[in-house]
Amino acid sequence: MTAPALDSTLLALRAHDGPMTAELARVPGAAHALSAHPAALPQLPARLAPAATVNSVCGFCATGCSLHIHLDADGRAINLAADPAYPVNLGMACPKGWEALTPLAAPDRATAPLLRASGPSLPAPRSPLQPTDWPTAAATFAARFQAIQATHGPHSVACLSTGQIPTEEMALLGAFFKFGMGGLHLDSNTRQCMATAATAYKQAFGFDAPPYTYADFEHSDCLVFVGSNPAIAHPIMWQRVMMNKNSPRIVVLDPRRTETAAAATDHVALRPKSDLWLLYALAHVLIAEDRINRPYIAAHTTGYDALAAFLVDYSPERAAPETGLPAAEIRRLARLIADAKAASFWWTMGVNQGHESTRTAQALINLALLTGNLGRPGTGANSITGQCNAMGSRLFANATSLLGGRDFANPAHRAEVAGILDLPVDRIPTQNSWAYDQIIDGIESGAIKGLWVVATNPAHSWIDSSRFARLRQKLEFLVVQDMYSTTDTARLADLVLPAAGWGEKEGSFINSERRFGHTTKVALAPGQALADFAIFRLLAHAWGCADIFAPWISPAAAFQLLKKLSAGRPCDITGIRDHAHLAEQGGIQWPCPTRPGASGNPKDE
């Protein structure tokens, strides 16, 4: 039996390109891309095939993934793909990363400065915000804040900043606010998530230094997650866990059966707020059963005897009713950790924002030190950061610590910074800023009369958000600098400064594993919106202190200043040449000091 002949008319119809064919047909992206990594591009619809690509570190969270941004022939960003060569994400991206370009086209972007009519007292209802120009906005910023300082003192103005802008911008903001404006009280919203971990690291190591790399996820044979749900909150990190070839034990300490707990080999459903009891009891067992690494302790730690004496009262039997876990289960967990060749301890906001947070982080660090699980592949006491540049904020924002992780109260530190930045040392405050919550309380007490909010939204995010709206009435002047004019805080402002977002400016982010990555300008900011760096320079000119910041001519120039400020510090980055070096090397972790005879390529050292 033979098949019937095919109708020639049908063949012709099938060969015809219909209206959806070209739209859906995919072509190799590399065929069109003028890229340093053309082979890395996936197949794409023809309409999205790029003329060129550039790399940029994602601006959503502190994982710090690298993305290939696809550009059309006019240089506009039209699409993106995950970078397979970057050591962070290895070709993966989470849903936020895939949508990284979407917020740039949001319809509620702030596109012009907005100013509300001013006066001794604003009538109710308050007058609306009206568009103005940049010279007027900058002059108003300077005049209103200077008037407040003249009446109520230099420290009556405060600034609430962010972990969402590049390091160079954070550093310029902190320098301008404290060395130019003469302000003192500057803190960022990173305090809400990272202050406790940063404090624990400082107390344990003498510096805020998360001691890990993401490769440790793949090298551990025992991973302990405390108050952390990376399967959902940090999916790229969780994929690195899934790439571990050691068949590791995955231990999750969490009262809830989270997605991570469901995937774990050991879900320890302890009672809420009992983390410290369990961690102390685990350390008690390790010491009592001599399952500690005594040579490591002797070589690398101090204070062991005091810790051992403290832990005597935290036996598993005493901890059992507090944690809801049988004493035998606590002993089993301690032995599991002790028997691991490479154990790592990971925590996020369940610890950092939890009960007795700093002590809990310290207890996790102590478990790593007691067992010698620090400084080797697959080990560490590892706090996972939240915002894309929270680490940059912690080190270089000049907020609650002086630039480079220094201390405002230390005369030698102040002298170092003054010398590096070529400014009079008396411009550097001799005391620390109030913390974020203390600034909020200062508004309520009347000590803070003017507030500058940069890239954050306290009217929505701060505890008891309605409180901030009430306290706004106590402020004589509120300035909000943001991508959007529609945030809860921007709606309350007297002056809104429109800022460029990720993808619309240059700079560097520092991710959870201390890796500097380069973020690239791939789009123009809408309307009159400016990069935060440009806004700070404009405001410094209006303030009358632009001469102090003459060297801060660009983010690239500011990066060179950061290198000088880091020299000899634990966060030394003098071995990083410039922004291009970061792009060439797939990001570079600190410390990266200059070494005699070094090749200039950290991968070779």
Side-chain angles (χ1 to χ4, degrees):
M1 184 173 180
T2 60
L6 292 174
D7 185 82
S8 59
T9 304
L10 178 62
L11 283 174
L13 287 173
R14 288 183 175 175
H16 179 69
D17 283 342
M20 293 295 292
T21 304
E23 179 73 13
L24 297 177
R26 297 191 303 171
V27 298
H32 296 270
L34 304 174
S35 168
H37 307 282
L41 296 182
Q43 288 192 342
L44 300 164
R47 63 184 174 82
L48 294 178
T53 67
V54 295
N55 286 1
S56 186
V57 170
C58 181
F60 269 112
C61 81
T63 303
C65 300
S66 179
L67 304 171
H68 290 312
I69 311 298
H70 304 176
L71 307 177
D72 66 12
D74 295 323
R76 294 173 299 193
I78 56 173
N79 200 17
L80 56 80
D83 183 350
Y86 203 68
V88 169
N89 52 313
L90 304 176
M92 299 177 285
C94 77
K96 289 183 178 180
W98 288 114
E99 294 295 328
L101 293 171
T102 302
L104 302 184
D108 58 342
R109 288 291 302 273
T111 59
L114 302 174
L115 180 62
R116 199 184 302 276
S118 61
S121 60
L122 292 174
R126 302 169 67 228
S127 56
L129 288 162
Q130 298 288 349
T132 189
D133 55 38
W134 274 110
T136 301
T140 302
F141 177 98
R144 294 287 300 276
F145 275 139
Q146 287 173 348
I148 290 172
Q149 289 179 310
T151 302
H152 303 287
H155 300 165
S156 60
V157 299
C159 182
L160 295 177
S161 182
T162 181
Q164 294 293 133
I165 61 177
T167 313
E168 297 81 357
E169 294 184 337
M170 291 176 175
L172 179 54
L173 169 60
F176 168 54
F177 181 78
K178 293 197 172 182
F179 308 156
M181 293 175 60
L184 175 64
H185 300 307
L186 163 65
D187 199 9
S188 69
N189 57 24
T190 54
R191 173 168 296 280
Q192 297 177 46
C193 57
M194 300 313 305
T196 52
T199 300
Y201 280 140
K202 287 180 180 180
Q203 292 174 347
F205 305 142
F207 199 77
D208 178 13
Y212 65 95
T213 181
Y214 296 155
D216 290 317
F217 283 121
E218 300 177 42
H219 293 296
S220 296
D221 60 350
C222 177
L223 299 99
V224 181
F225 292 96
V226 186
S228 179
N229 188 16
I232 294 298
H234 294 90
I236 302 306
M237 295 186 190
W238 184 246
Q239 288 301 308
R240 300 293 296 265
V241 175
M242 294 295 97
M243 293 165 66
N244 189 311
K245 301 183 186 304
N246 298 321
S247 299
R249 298 298 290 264
I250 301 175
V251 180
V252 174
L253 310 186
D254 202 312
R256 309 165 302 156
R257 185 170 172 79
T258 64
E259 291 82 357
T260 305
T265 58
D266 301 81
H267 175 208
V268 182
L270 72 171
R271 286 180 178 168
K273 299 186 178 182
S274 67
D275 302 72
L276 265 181
W277 277 97
L278 177 57
L279 298 176
Y280 287 163
L282 293 174
H284 173 104
V285 173
L286 292 172
I287 293 173
E289 297 185 359
D290 197 23
R291 294 176 179 270
I292 58 177
N293 189 328
R294 292 188 180 277
Y296 182 94
I297 292 169
H300 301 294
T301 72
T302 60
Y304 168 76
D305 292 337
L307 176 64
F310 170 79
L311 293 170
V312 167
D313 293 333
Y314 288 90
S315 67
E317 287 72 21
R318 188 178 175 199
E322 301 291 340
T323 62
L325 302 173
E329 172 68 358
I330 296 174
R331 286 193 168 85
R332 184 189 73 83
L333 288 171
R335 293 164 186 166
L336 187 156
I337 292 169
D339 291 342
K341 294 179 181 178
S344 55
F345 304 85
W346 307 85
W347 72 92
T348 55
M349 301 311 136
V351 169
N352 293 340
Q353 297 179 355
H355 183 58
E356 298 184 293
S357 305
T358 302
R359 290 184 180 182
T360 304
Q362 289 170 335
L364 286 163
I365 293 170
N366 284 337
L367 285 176
L369 293 172
L370 285 169
T371 55
N373 279 299
L374 199 69
R376 295 182 291 112
T379 66
N382 306 328
S383 169
I384 298 172
T385 309
Q387 297 183 77
C388 62
N389 201 22
M391 179 58 72
S393 175
R394 287 150 66 176
L395 291 180
F396 291 107
N398 208 39
T400 52
S401 61
L402 184 56
L403 292 161
R406 293 177 174 86
D407 185 355
F408 281 102
N410 186 319
H413 287 184
R414 295 197 302 273
E416 286 176 6
V417 170
I420 293 168
L421 298 182
D422 191 24
L423 55 84
V425 72
D426 59 5
R427 282 190 172 268
I428 300 178
T430 60
Q431 62 190 99
N432 290 323
S433 164
W434 283 347
Y436 196 116
D437 59 309
Q438 294 170 318
I439 292 173
I440 300 293
D441 290 344
I443 299 172
E444 185 161 40
S445 71
I448 300 298
K449 296 293 187 180
L451 183 65
W452 182 14
V453 177
V454 180
T456 188
N457 187 15
H460 175 77
S461 62
W462 187 243
I463 301 166
D464 185 8
S465 58
S466 62
R467 180 189 179 208
F468 187 91
R470 296 192 305 270
L471 293 182
R472 189 267 168 272
Q473 303 304 319
K474 294 195 170 190
L475 290 169
E476 295 181 12
F477 191 49
L478 172 62
V479 179
V480 173
Q481 184 169 319
D482 207 304
M483 287 176 64
Y484 306 99
S485 59
T486 56
T487 69
D488 294 342
T489 313
R491 292 179 190 274
L492 299 173
D494 297 300
L495 176 64
V496 176
L497 304 177
W502 173 89
E504 297 169 344
K505 54 189 178 180
E506 299 280 337
S508 62
F509 294 149
I510 311 175
N511 75 352
S512 285
E513 57 168 359
R514 311 180 320 281
R515 186 181 301 273
F516 271 82
H518 183 234
T519 178
T520 307
K521 182 176 181 178
V522 295
L524 295 176
Q528 299 178 51
L530 297 174
D532 293 280
F533 196 91
I535 295 174
F536 301 145
R537 282 177 50 83
L538 180 65
L539 297 177
H541 178 79
W543 197 273
C545 61
D547 57 321
I548 298 175
F549 304 103
W552 303 72
I553 59 173
S554 66
F559 186 79
Q560 299 303 318
L561 293 175
L562 297 184
K563 288 171 57 177
K564 294 178 181 179
L565 289 163
S566 77
R569 305 289 297 162
C571 58
D572 194 324
I573 56 167
T574 54
I576 303 176
R577 187 181 70 247
D578 50 23
H579 285 164
H581 196 183
L582 297 177
E584 292 165 8
Q585 297 302 313
I588 299 173
Q589 288 178 281
W590 66 260
C592 180
T594 301
R595 295 182 176 88
S599 66
N601 182 351
K603 291 182 178 179
D604 295 338
E605 298 174 27

